[in-house]
Amino acid sequence: MPTPAISQDELKAQVGRAALAHVVPGEIVGVGTGSTVNKFIEALAGLRDQIKGAVSSSEASTERLKALGIPVFDSNAVEELAVYIDGADEIDGRGHMVKGGGAALTREKIVAAQSRRFVCIADASKRVAVLGRFPLPVEVIPMAARRVARQFAAQGGTARLRMKGDAPLVTDNGQHILDVTGLEIRDPLAFESEVNQWPGVVTVGVFAHQKAHVCLLATPEGVQTLTF
Ligand code: 5RP
């Protein structure tokens, strides 16, 4: 009898549970955003009494953490975190990622920067050779959106303003998101540094300076651990 296929939802649940092994008892854990992280948050509720709490990368994750009785700390109240656990839209063979599919990229980068280790949790569909297949999220100040879109066009990209219904999506920081297609990001470190200099760019969704140290990758054969 053929083994039944594992759903993507179950893969996310598996990798969410596997991430518990990276949580340091007695400490505050950095928590990302997205459907994979939601599985991690569900699993983390079981360790509630063994951690001090969490620093969260979005209003959505904060709400979920609090609903499960996990205290949430302001990032300014915490000097350093031992570990940050978050998903990704793409991850390459060196731990560089594209993130921001859930529009939380700026706060994700802030919490990643204050953490000693970034543990990425993802299913195998997120693994790529070269970043750029997933539309690259870029958080922008609304008055700069057109100009930034033109700068991407000059590099061969097509930027679209992310919408929510009939209006532009507004991030937790009150800004807008451009999703850029048509890019091949062969030098993620240089690309991230360059785009972050463009006036009006709040954060580009390439995480090369704040790359993953470990990736827990859910596959139908089990969770693989990649270290970078
Ligand atoms: C949110 C993110 C997420 O980590 C990324 O979009 C992956 O999400 P999911 O686990 O739902 O596939 O960067 O801004």
Side-chain angles (χ1 to χ4, degrees), residues 7-19 35-36 38-40 42-43 218 223:
S7 69
Q8 204 178 21
D9 198 58
E10 180 47 31
L11 289 174
K12 289 178 182 187
Q14 282 179 9
V15 82
R17 289 192 294 271
S35 56
T36 315
N38 289 346
K39 301 291 187 188
F40 167 66
E42 277 170 31
V223 176

Side-chain angles (χ1 to χ4, degrees), residues 12 33-37 86-89 98-105 108 121 126 134:
K12 289 178 182 187
T33 301
S35 56
T36 315
V37 166
D86 197 0
D89 298 303
V98 163
K99 292 182 45 53
L105 61 163
E108 291 173 342
I121 51 175
K126 307 290 182 69
F134 187 88

